[in-house]
Amino acid sequence: MKKQIFIFSVLFLALISLNFKNDTNNKKSNIDKKVKKLLSEMTLDEKIGQMTQVDMLAFADPQDVEKYFIGSVLSGGGSDPKDITAKGWADNYDMFQSFALKTRLKIPMIYGIDAVHGNNNIDGAVVFPHNIGLGATKNAKLIKEASRIIALEIAGTGVDWAFAPCVAVGRNEKWGRTYESFSEDPTLVSILGKATVEGLQTKSLSDPTAILACAKHFLGDGGTTNGKDQGNTVVDNETLRKIHLPGYIKAIEANVGSVMVSYSSWNGVKNHGNKYLITDLLKKELGFKGFVVSDWAGIDQLPGNFKSDIEQSINAGMDMVMIPNGPKQPNNYVEFINDLKELVNEGKVPMSRIDDAVSRILKIKFAMNLFNNPYTDKALTKEVGSQEHRKVARQCVKESVVLLKNDGILPLKKDVKSLYITGSGADNLGRQCGGWTIEWQGKEGTVMSGGTTLLQAVKETVSKDTRVTYSADGNGAAGSEFAIVVVAEKPYAEMFGDTSNIVLSKEDIAVINSVKESKVPFVVVLYSGRPVIITDLIDKCNAFAAAWLPGTEGKGVTDVLFGDYNPTGKLPVSWPKNMEQIPINVGDKDYSPLFPFGFGLNYTK
Ligand code: BGC
Ligand code: BGC
């Protein structure tokens, strides 16, 4: 009897899984049929429109979506509608979509945004730690959960597509985008990148809250000489694959629907025109079935004029071109459309290439059910910035804090009599969030509504009898039982963050020195997008915590400082002793950083 039940169960399970497989296969072939049919009805203009992605601020008129059959709209860093609340964004989305739906074939546009640590362009959204902080958590499950929340906050604004995850493997801290990289370790990057894709896209792109993910920037962006942004990565093919490719392999395993090409070059050749990388490696060898998008005016950097940029790049395998008011042409998108049409008519870009690009884009639009569900689900709009969402971000923050030094002063007592707080980051939400927050470069001070600075978080944590005093300049520690010094990098993004000298500002160093002179024991909390050279400073304090760029939920940091959470954060990068050591990465010969990759103290020992 038992045996029969067993055989029956096995058969039953096999049937279910067969059915499931058939289901997915059916879905796929249904979509392929729809794509084929639609493609056969399209004119060349309509096809080229699908391949055109225009920044919302670059439109001469939003009606051009209808006029030129524009397939995609984006908001680059800081290209925002006037009303930047979630509702304002949703209305903006619906407005663009309404023009797309007025076209003959009613193909919906797909809207992309740099939601790289939360839906960070939206006032009141929850801002999560930047990737380097998430790297310190090493917690793929948590990052998947966080990405799900981020997807909900994106869906609440109508937007369909996040230009995330950045699966760059940052190998040189001079690079201004170091914080967009989870780690210097390719394996950690690939695990956390995959988790991000799974969270954003969820089980199926057809889920109404699924957000299309975009693995970027293909390939080798984190490996440029001297950490120069948009620079040149000089490595052989084997090293390129070993260090920079695993993130894409895993993202493709998770069915990532789009990939963005890097501004950078590989051995002197710009990736935006590199057919070997885009077509042979990504599409053929790795079997990537989604679509490839260029970076912001990225094709403009190819040698030649705008028309030859288009030719090279589309023929290399680019499916969609991201078009701002680029450096070579104002009103680029009209130019792009005209030039690409000419190129096809001149036989310089084969029709088969256009059809491949458009099929890939349409496939994603069908898979996302955009045709049936083109507008914002306003029920989700209200959830943007909710307490439930903030909880998950706070969890990410507490797991991201890496304790580098502790002479026993930590955890602080909540019923301490008096506490002094100081430093440029203590009451500065903008520095706590870093770049890509409301504005491309981020902003000082109250960058958005909602959120908790460390000063506010401390006040909400200590006992009601504790006297908390604050000044930004470091004068006023004397007489207090403890001090918390929050030093911080100024916000920056991309090439504006490139530097040959990763140090604290004179003001922050002065603050540390004056608190030291007051003889009050103190902990330093660092807000930064990368390890800062602290070799001469770390001896001065009683404890030191690297909190990266934690985002809006400052309470995650106080959870660690006051012992509600026993720190688990581990360095996702090697912490150099001095600038001369950079680049320094785990596995190097003669590896002797200030703190090694994986380092992080807790309160147990
Ligand atoms: C960045 C990308 C970003 C794009 C759109 C580019 O400058 O390199 O990471 O997704 O702009 O804002
Ligand atoms: C845009 C960013 C973009 C950058 C590239 C900025 O003006 O707002 O999104 O990444 O230009 O240079």
Side-chain angles (χ1 to χ4, degrees):
M1 188 61 187
K2 259 194 189 154
K3 204 172 165 193
Q4 275 166 331
I5 292 180
F6 176 75
I7 291 174
F8 179 76
S9 313
V10 168
L11 269 173
F12 182 71
L13 281 175
L15 263 174
I16 289 186
S17 80
L18 248 178
N19 233 331
F20 180 75
K21 248 199 173 152
N22 278 342
D23 237 36
T24 349
N25 285 342
N26 281 345
K27 250 193 211 162
K28 269 190 197 148
S29 74
N30 271 341
I31 289 178
D32 288 343
K33 271 186 211 143
K34 285 182 189 164
V35 169
K36 228 174 158 184
K37 175 159 181 295
L38 184 53
L39 191 71
S40 72
E41 292 164 11
M42 289 170 81
T43 63
L44 180 57
D45 292 282
E46 284 165 339
K47 288 178 184 176
I48 289 176
Q50 285 303 309
M51 298 169 69
T52 311
Q53 182 187 52
V54 185
D55 182 78
M56 70 154 278
L57 292 184
F59 276 106
D61 185 330
Q63 291 193 26
D64 279 359
V65 170
E66 181 189 353
K67 183 168 171 194
Y68 296 104
F69 314 103
I70 302 298
S72 180
V73 179
L74 89 138
S75 276
S79 45
D80 306 333
K82 280 210 185 73
D83 176 359
I84 61 167
T85 63
K87 177 171 181 305
W89 276 94
D91 292 343
N92 178 64
Y93 175 93
D94 287 347
M95 182 268 293
F96 279 108
Q97 192 64 289
S98 72
F99 290 117
L101 297 178
K102 279 187 188 144
T103 55
R104 183 178 73 97
L105 294 168
K106 300 185 175 49
I107 304 176
M109 61 94 208
I110 184 167
Y111 202 120
I113 198 165
D114 287 293
V116 294
H117 61 148
N119 197 2
N120 42 252
N121 285 27
I122 284 73
D123 188 36
V126 182
V127 177
F128 286 72
H130 267 298
N131 283 353
I132 195 167
L134 296 180
T137 74
K138 297 201 168 155
N139 187 342
K141 195 167 158 260
L142 178 63
I143 284 158
K144 183 173 168 184
E145 193 187 341
S147 303
R148 196 80 282 281
I149 299 294
I150 294 169
L152 293 177
E153 298 228 336
I154 300 170
T157 62
V159 170
D160 317 285
W161 178 14
F163 302 132
C166 177
V167 290
V169 182
R171 301 289 284 181
N172 187 318
E173 283 78 23
K174 292 179 189 169
W175 190 33
R177 308 192 79 156
T178 298
Y179 65 77
E180 293 187 62
S181 166
F182 291 111
S183 172
E184 69 189 30
D185 172 44
T187 307
L188 186 55
V189 168
S190 66
I191 292 169
L192 302 187
K194 184 176 181 207
T196 307
V197 174
E198 290 169 346
L200 289 171
Q201 295 194 168
T202 187
K203 285 211 183 71
S204 158
L205 278 175
S206 65
D207 185 300
T209 67
I211 295 297
L212 181 66
C214 182
K216 72 184 189 184
H217 310 80
F218 190 77
L219 180 68
D221 52 350
T224 62
T225 306
N226 244 323
K228 187 179 172 340
D229 192 41
Q230 311 191 1
N232 187 17
T233 299
V234 184
V235 290
D236 59 20
N237 199 330
E238 195 193 324
T239 312
L240 184 76
R241 285 164 179 263
K242 201 173 102 204
I243 296 178
H244 301 285
L245 202 58
Y248 295 92
I249 296 175
K250 286 284 171 196
I252 292 169
E253 257 176 51
N255 284 321
V256 68
S258 72
V259 168
M260 189 187 293
V261 176
S262 174
Y263 285 121
S264 56
S265 305
W266 175 40
N267 295 333
V269 178
K270 282 271 172 199
N271 290 5
H272 272 73
N274 193 327
K275 188 172 184 185
Y276 167 74
L277 291 182
I278 303 174
T279 298
D280 299 344
L281 177 56
L282 178 64
K283 291 183 174 174
K284 292 198 177 139
E285 193 182 319
L286 301 187
F288 172 63
K289 295 283 184 290
F291 66 86
V292 179
V293 65
S294 62
D295 203 342
W296 178 276
I299 67 165
D300 301 43
Q301 295 188 12
L302 293 170
N305 61 25
F306 192 53
K307 189 169 170 186
S308 73
D309 296 345
I310 299 169
E311 181 183 343
Q312 279 177 70
S313 162
I314 302 293
N315 283 338
M318 197 71 74
D319 300 312
M320 184 186 278
V321 176
M322 188 189 290
I323 309 176
N325 285 321
K328 285 189 185 165
Q329 310 275 353
N331 228 337
N332 253 0
Y333 59 99
V334 180
E335 193 70 29
F336 170 81
I337 289 165
N338 292 337
D339 285 350
L340 183 50
K341 200 169 166 186
E342 271 176 35
L343 287 164
V344 174
N345 289 332
E346 289 159 6
K348 290 186 178 146
V349 171
M351 199 59 191
S352 56
R353 183 68 270 282
I354 300 288
D355 285 346
D356 173 53
V358 178
S359 301
R360 286 169 178 268
I361 294 163
L362 292 178
K363 209 173 83 183
I364 296 289
K365 289 185 176 180
F366 278 115
M368 293 187 78
N369 219 359
L370 267 178
F371 289 82
N372 300 322
N373 243 336
Y375 290 111
T376 312
D377 176 355
K378 293 278 169 63
L380 291 168
T381 312
K382 295 185 209 83
E383 297 302 312
V384 175
S386 74
Q387 286 312 316
E388 281 306 300
H389 295 180
R390 290 188 190 279
K391 254 196 226 158
V392 179
R394 178 172 172 178
Q395 186 66 31
C396 292
V397 175
K398 59 180 150 184
E399 295 194 26
S400 75
V401 175
V402 181
L403 189 59
L404 293 178
K405 175 181 177 179
N406 184 18
D407 70 358
I409 187 190
L410 294 184
L412 299 173
K413 287 180 294 184
K414 288 184 189 168
D415 60 356
V416 54
K417 280 202 195 67
S418 55
L419 192 62
Y420 173 66
I421 308 182
T422 185
S424 68
D427 196 26
N428 190 331
L429 196 63
R431 288 200 180 191
Q432 200 171 291
C433 292
W436 298 106
T437 310
I438 303 294
E439 310 244 325
W440 180 34
Q441 294 297 317
K443 227 159 80 176
E444 294 276 357
T446 312
V447 60
M448 57 156 63
S449 49
T452 312
T453 65
L454 199 62
L455 175 63
Q456 292 165 329
V458 167
K459 284 182 176 164
E460 286 170 29
T461 305
V462 292
S463 78
K464 62 179 190 323
D465 300 324
T466 304
R467 188 170 53 93
V468 178
T469 51
Y470 163 75
S471 71
D473 62 4
N475 298 317
S480 292
E481 226 175 300
F482 294 127
I484 302 175
V485 180
V486 190
V487 293
E489 281 191 311
K490 288 192 178 121
Y492 54 80
E494 299 189 49
M495 57 289 222
F496 289 95
D498 285 1
T499 180
S500 54
N501 204 14
I502 314 171
V503 289
L504 291 178
S505 68
K506 285 199 192 77
E507 294 77 27
D508 275 339
I509 293 173
V511 168
I512 292 178
N513 286 333
S514 68
V515 174
K516 175 77 187 163
E517 274 160 31
S518 74
K519 305 231 158 52
V520 173
F522 68 105
V523 48
V524 172
V525 175
L526 171 65
Y527 287 161
S528 69
R530 53 190 154 200
V532 170
I533 305 302
I534 49 166
T535 313
D536 295 337
L537 291 170
I538 193 149
D539 291 339
K540 299 189 179 179
C541 59
N542 302 81
F544 193 107
W548 315 106
L549 299 168
T552 46
E553 305 315 301
K555 282 212 144 177
V557 181
T558 46
D559 286 336
V560 171
L561 296 181
F562 291 89
D564 286 328
Y565 186 73
N566 188 2
T568 53
K570 304 285 178 223
L571 286 182
V573 291
S574 308
W575 200 292
K577 281 184 187 142
N578 51 48
M579 287 309 294
E580 291 67 46
Q581 276 194 335
I582 297 176
I584 180 167
N585 293 295
V586 60
D588 285 356
K589 259 194 266 143
D590 309 321
Y591 182 70
S592 70
L594 186 63
F595 297 105
F597 174 87
F599 184 84
L601 303 171
N602 59 37
Y603 298 146
T604 316
K605 285 174 224 150

